[in-house]
Amino acid sequence: MKKSLMFLLAILASFSSAAAANSPCSLRSFTVTGVSAVYDPLENNFIPVPISIRLQTNGDCRRDAIQLALAPTSSTPQTGPQVVLTAAGDHILGTIETSGGAVLQVKNSASAFSNNPITSPLGSSGMQTSGPSLQLVLTPGQISIPGSYGALLNVLYRVVHDDAVVTSGSAPLVISVAVKPSVRLAATSNLHLDVGEIKPGKTSDTVSFDAYSNVDYELILSSDNDFTLVRDGRGSPHDGTPYEPEIGNVAITSSATVPGHGQARRIQFSAPGHSGRSHQTFSIRILPFSGVPAGNYSDLMTMEIRARI
């Protein structure tokens, strides 16, 4: 599986100065990086993606600090602790956090800096990259259809000197997340099928498994002995007892040559929806045979899940 990928898009913000505060510090530039990531809804964790802040100052800024806030836009109007990233007919949720884990709530501009805004001290003049840093965090396990999800927010900032605002402005924050097709298989029982005494038409006991997917998928079954029980698991398929695999008591009869598997069986399913999970039972049914000597017969099957894209 691929790990999360990301790239950074630099956006230079415009800003304005306020004459109300008398400070030797001035802000020359403020740059915020947009963020892009790949999200696997079936992964158990998500590595936060950095959104770095770069700013350049003139003068003595040691008594000054910069404050950050988030505001909605017309394309991403939701407010609150979570950022809503949308695609056609679906959405995923994330948060914008500091490197220390503090969540920046999305607030209307009028109240954006209320209730202890994120604040970082400034130092001497020059380019600063060790100031406030943000990161995108996506909650694992959000089953969503594959596609491109996005949000657009405004990063509001202001430089304060002795609690008076020196400079304020805003910069757009573009967030793009590609949700990838993802599939998994997980056994929910012992995977040993017991037929007992072999007779034509007899069905084995069942085993169960879960298929996880956010897209239409197919299950591919391969057999060490061409779907035949052979004596002691080592005989020739021509001297064994053929069987038919079944999922949910439905025979899997569709066969195809699958690279890496030779002759295999396949069955297709639709995506299980926002649960992302489809519970299945599996068994085999013995087909007609004759002239097989007594003994212990077995076979080994392998099941694989593939996204249908």
Side-chain angles (χ1 to χ4, degrees), residues 15 17 23-28 56-61 64 166-167:
F15 56 92
S17 296
S23 170
C25 175
S26 64
L27 182 64
R28 291 184 57 192
Q56 188 170 14
T57 59
N58 280 339
D60 186 357
C61 299
D64 295 60
V166 177
T167 304

Side-chain angles (χ1 to χ4, degrees), residues 17 69 77 81 91 93 96 132-133 145-146 171-172 177 194 206 234 262 282 305:
S17 296
H91 70 276
L93 301 175
I96 304 298
S133 61
I145 61 176
V177 174
D194 187 5
T206 61
R234 299 189 301 271
F282 182 72
I305 186 171

Side-chain angles (χ1 to χ4, degrees), residues 205-245:
D205 56 6
T206 61
V207 297
S208 60
F209 65 93
D210 288 334
Y212 295 88
S213 180
N214 67 336
V215 69
D216 294 347
Y217 65 95
E218 65 181 3
L219 298 177
I220 299 172
L221 290 169
S222 59
S223 161
D224 282 3
N225 297 291
D226 196 21
F227 300 98
T228 303
L229 299 177
V230 296
R231 192 172 186 180
D232 297 324
R234 299 189 301 271
S236 167
H238 300 291
D239 301 324
T241 61
Y243 65 87
E244 203 161 59

Side-chain angles (χ1 to χ4, degrees), residues 18 60 72 82 123 127 159 174 189 227 241 248 259 291:
D60 186 357
Q82 293 183 310
M127 183 66 73
V159 174
V174 180
S189 70
F227 300 98
T241 61

Side-chain angles (χ1 to χ4, degrees), residues 213-299:
S213 180
N214 67 336
V215 69
D216 294 347
Y217 65 95
E218 65 181 3
L219 298 177
I220 299 172
L221 290 169
S222 59
S223 161
D224 282 3
N225 297 291
D226 196 21
F227 300 98
T228 303
L229 299 177
V230 296
R231 192 172 186 180
D232 297 324
R234 299 189 301 271
S236 167
H238 300 291
D239 301 324
T241 61
Y243 65 87
E244 203 161 59
E246 298 179 339
I247 290 182
N249 297 320
V250 176
I252 307 173
T253 58
S254 177
S255 61
T257 301
V258 179
H261 295 287
Q263 288 298 316
R265 306 284 180 92
R266 69 172 72 205
I267 184 171
Q268 296 182 335
F269 295 89
S270 298
H274 277 286
S275 70
R277 171 182 172 271
S278 178
H279 185 70
Q280 304 284 2
T281 58
F282 182 72
S283 60
I284 67 170
R285 182 173 58 86
I286 304 300
L287 298 178
F289 68 92
S290 61
V292 175
N296 294 318
Y297 288 74
S298 64
D299 187 25

Side-chain angles (χ1 to χ4, degrees), residues 154-173:
N154 276 328
V155 178
L156 307 182
Y157 63 88
R158 64 185 188 183
V159 174
V160 295
H161 177 83
D162 292 337
D163 296 326
V165 177
V166 177
T167 304
S168 64
S170 66
L173 173 59

